[in-house]
C-alpha cells in the first residue's frame, strides 16, 4: 500500500515537473515569439503611410531594427526550434531569418539618405520587402493585403 502511494506521488511530481519544463522552456518562449509577430504587424499597420512612402524617422528605423533582432532572439529561446516550431505552428527557421533580413533592409530604406536610390525607388523596394515579410511570417503588414 505504501509502495503504491509513493509511486503515485512520485508519478504526480514527475508529471508536474515535466509540464512545468514544457511550459517554461517551450510554450512561454513560443508565446513570446507570437507576441513579436503581433508587434511586427502592429508596427507596419500603425506606421503604414510613413513606411510605404519611405519617409521614416530615426524612431521608425530603430523600431524596424529592434523587431528584426527580436524575431531571431525569441526564436533562439525555443530549444529544438525545428521540432517545436513546427508542432506549434510557428514560421520555419529560414523564413524567420529571411524576414528579419528584409525588415532590417526596410530600416535602411527608411533613411532618406540611403545611397543610390530615390524616394520612389525606396518606396517600391519597401513594398516588395513588406510582401516578402508577409509571406515568410504569415502576418498582415498592409491594409491592402487581401491574402494571408
Amino acid at each position: 500500500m505504501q509502495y503504491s502511494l509513493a509511486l503515485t506521488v512520485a508519478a504526480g511530481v514527475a508529471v508536474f515537473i515535466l509540464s512545468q519544463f514544457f511550459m517554461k522552456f517551450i510554450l512561454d518562449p513560443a508565446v513570446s515569439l507570437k507576441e513579436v509577430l503581433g508587434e511586427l504587424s502592429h508596427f507596419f499597420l500603425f506606421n503604414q503611410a510613413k513606411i510605404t512612402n519611405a519617409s521614416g524617422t530615426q524612431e521608425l528605423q530603430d523600431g524596424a531594427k529592434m523587431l528584426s533582432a527580436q524575431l531571431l532572439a525569441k526564436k533562439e529561446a525555443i530549444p529544438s526550434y525545428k521540432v517545436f516550431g513546427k508542432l506549434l505552428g510557428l514560421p520555419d527557421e529560414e523564413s524567420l531569418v529571411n524576414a528579419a533580413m528584409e525588415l532590417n533592409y526596410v530600416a535602411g530604406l527608411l533613411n532618406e539618405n540611403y545611397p543610390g536610390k530615390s524616394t520612389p525607388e525606396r518606396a517600391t523596394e519597401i513594398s516588395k520587402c513588406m510582401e516578402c515579410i508577409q509571406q515568410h511570417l504569415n502576418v498582415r503588414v498592409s491594409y491592402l493585403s487581401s491574402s494571408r
Side-chain angles (χ1 to χ4, degrees):
M1 178 82 174
Q2 288 182 350
Y3 177 74
S4 65
L5 178 63
L7 191 60
T8 302
V9 170
V13 169
V15 167
F16 175 76
I17 290 170
L18 287 174
S19 66
Q20 288 300 307
F21 176 83
F22 186 75
M23 189 100 144
K24 296 294 180 191
F25 292 106
I26 309 296
L27 289 182
D28 286 352
V31 168
S32 184
L33 176 58
K34 285 282 202 177
E35 288 173 352
V36 172
L37 292 173
E39 289 174 27
L40 177 72
S41 184
H42 172 266
F43 173 80
F44 276 108
L45 295 173
F46 188 76
N47 300 297
Q48 187 171 12
K50 291 177 186 173
I51 292 171
T52 56
N53 290 322
S55 60
T57 62
Q58 184 64 46
E59 183 180 346
L60 278 180
Q61 292 172 43
D62 292 344
K65 289 177 186 176
M66 181 193 64
L67 287 168
S68 175
Q70 279 186 337
L71 277 175
L72 298 180
K74 298 296 182 180
K75 181 207 69 79
E76 291 298 323
I78 302 171
S80 301
Y81 184 84
K82 287 183 181 182
V83 174
F84 290 113
K86 190 171 222 155
L87 284 173
L88 298 172
L90 299 172
D92 63 76
E93 195 168 3
E94 185 179 346
S95 293
L96 278 172
V97 170
N98 288 335
M101 288 184 342
E102 294 285 339
L103 187 54
N104 210 33
Y105 184 46
V106 167
L109 291 169
L110 287 172
N111 183 347
E112 61 186 36
N113 297 321
Y114 191 86
K117 292 195 186 284
S118 66
T119 300
E121 289 172 324
R122 289 185 298 117
T124 301
E125 285 289 316
I126 287 172
S127 294
K128 289 178 186 175
C129 290
M130 288 172 64
E131 287 177 23
C132 287
I133 291 167
Q134 180 169 297
Q135 289 174 345
H136 286 302
L137 301 179
N138 195 28
V139 295
R140 183 170 292 278
V141 297
S142 172
Y143 290 112
L144 302 175
S145 300
S146 59
S147 63
R148 275 187 34 176

